[in-house]
Amino acid sequence: MNHFIDISTTDAADLRHMIDHARAMKDARAGRTKGAPDDEQPLAGRMVALIFEKPSTRTRVSFDVGVRQMGGQSMVLSGADMQLGHGETIADTARVLSRYVDLIMIRTFDPSVLQEMSDAASVPVINGLTDASHPCQIMADVMTFEEHRGPIAGKKVVWTGDGNNVCSSFLHAAGQFGFDLTFTGPSQLDPNADDVAFARSKGANILIERDPMAAVAGADLVVADTWVSMHDAQSARERRHNMLRPYQVDARLMAGANDDALFMHCLPAHRGEEVTSEVMDGPQSVIFDEAENRLHAQKAVMRWCLGV
Ligand code: CP
Ligand code: NVA
């Protein structure tokens, strides 16, 4: 059974197939009316559970729409309304849901919840973000880069700011898709050492550079994310902002990257904090393509999970 837990734990050839499949499905839909079903209905008769223990706009809507386009049905469940965390084990929840639905997507806090869910489920489980990673986002980001600039292999990506969950999935992708990644941010917020080691073990050149201007030299892609993630304590907000302010992506920083460098942000963004509006709305920004491609990439992920 194909669970989609992380980019690091998924076969590299399968990841490549999913990106190519997503692009083919996007092309096939071009010109069709928004909301119209796909000609193929690979999820006909299938039910998908979308579980959210944290807020979401993109993940929630793109999964829901993706299931419907493919002829399936979905139900969005809020973790707070379920018995999750009220005494019933994650494993028992997974066994029960497996009797009703064909596929489970879960957004949660501790990655151990996702692990427990996938260990016990008898249907595929997809990671819709945990405190540790966000693989669906980076599948969409790889797809987006390649749509604009061709193969991502051998390119230089610069991650700015907090070495968080999204950064970890970028490191996994660096290893699996063969690109280099430079992290620039304060040492207190360095990326997870195991994720850096994973990327390096696959041959990716991973650098840590404290000076953001030096980091972006030669960059093909500059990436930012929020300075305070959903799993971070709000009490840490001011301290994090003070540490991260020198890493804001503004026009001056973008000018230090390659002339054709792209800018990405998984969204939601905080304009004027991790990135200026000038960059977000500027010609190098592909943020809304990233958001759209969540839909196409996740359709390919779901089809891979279900083998349809
Ligand atoms: N990028 C992303 O996952 O957005 P949501 O939190 O809105 O789902
Ligand atoms: N790092 C952010 C990503 C949101 C999509 C968070 O975890 O809140």
Side-chain angles (χ1 to χ4, degrees):
M1 189 172 38
N2 288 331
H3 297 299
F4 189 69
I5 303 299
D6 268 313
I7 290 177
S8 55
T9 53
T10 304
D11 182 74
D14 287 357
L15 294 168
R16 169 47 56 196
H17 165 77
M18 286 185 250
I19 298 288
D20 296 344
H21 192 191
R23 287 188 69 179
M25 282 190 282
K26 182 176 181 176
D27 288 346
R29 279 193 69 79
R32 229 185 254 126
T33 322
K34 205 175 256 132
D38 286 356
D39 294 335
E40 279 184 88
Q41 297 277 279
L43 262 61
R46 312 259 186 165
M47 181 62 77
V48 180
L50 307 172
I51 306 171
F52 289 91
E53 295 200 276
K54 290 173 176 172
S56 168
T57 297
R58 280 143 288 270
T59 305
R60 177 183 168 141
V61 178
S62 58
F63 264 105
D64 201 348
V65 171
V67 170
R68 291 169 197 234
Q69 285 182 355
M70 296 193 292
Q73 296 189 65
S74 59
M75 58 180 76
V76 178
L77 303 162
S78 128
D81 297 337
M82 300 173 68
Q83 300 288 10
L84 279 173
H86 296 283
E88 185 166 32
T89 66
I90 302 298
D92 285 346
T93 305
R95 293 182 188 111
V96 170
L97 290 178
S98 298
R99 300 292 179 104
Y100 301 133
V101 304
D102 302 285
L103 181 61
I104 299 169
M105 192 273 340
I106 180 166
R107 165 170 287 195
T108 187
F109 290 87
D110 192 324
S112 68
V113 170
L114 172 72
Q115 197 57 53
E116 223 181 301
M117 177 86 63
S118 59
D119 286 348
S122 53
V123 300
V125 175
I126 296 175
N127 177 358
L129 178 147
T130 70
D131 298 357
S133 63
H134 195 4
C136 290
Q137 179 67 51
I138 307 311
M139 292 298 280
D141 291 355
V142 169
M143 175 182 172
T144 305
F145 184 90
E146 295 197 334
E147 271 182 339
H148 286 272
R149 295 286 183 266
I152 198 168
K155 299 293 185 185
K156 175 177 173 178
V157 174
V158 175
W159 179 276
T160 63
D162 180 14
N164 63 16
N165 46 0
V166 181
C167 179
S168 284
S169 286
F170 246 115
L171 284 163
H172 297 160
Q176 297 289 51
F177 289 97
F179 58 86
D180 297 332
L181 189 146
T182 296
F183 168 83
T184 187
S187 57
Q188 298 92 322
L189 300 176
D190 271 349
N192 179 290
D194 291 342
D195 298 326
V196 171
F198 170 82
R200 287 182 175 150
S201 76
K202 297 282 183 181
N205 189 22
I206 307 299
L207 299 176
I208 309 275
E209 169 58 64
R210 303 287 169 218
D211 175 0
M213 276 312 285
V216 296
D220 300 294
L221 170 62
V222 177
V223 191
D225 189 13
T226 180
W227 288 343
V228 185
S229 283
M230 292 182 273
H231 58 269
D232 289 320
Q234 279 303 315
S235 56
R237 190 184 145 83
E238 194 179 331
R239 190 176 60 87
R240 296 176 71 90
H241 275 233
N242 289 338
M243 277 192 287
L244 287 160
R245 210 160 282 124
Y247 296 95
Q248 182 191 63
V249 179
D250 57 12
R252 187 173 152 269
L253 192 65
M254 285 306 293
N258 286 347
D259 290 345
D260 67 347
L262 298 175
F263 171 75
M264 286 192 189
H265 190 308
C266 65
L267 307 179
H270 305 78
R271 289 171 179 261
E273 294 181 7
E274 69 270 13
V275 57
T276 61
S277 279
E278 187 181 5
V279 170
M280 280 186 72
D281 302 328
Q284 290 165 287
S285 171
V286 290
I287 54 176
F288 299 113
D289 292 336
E290 288 178 83
E292 175 182 342
N293 286 338
R294 293 290 303 277
L295 167 65
H296 308 295
Q298 289 158 189
K299 284 167 72 176
V301 170
M302 288 189 275
R303 291 185 70 165
W304 174 80
C305 285
L306 291 167
V308 294

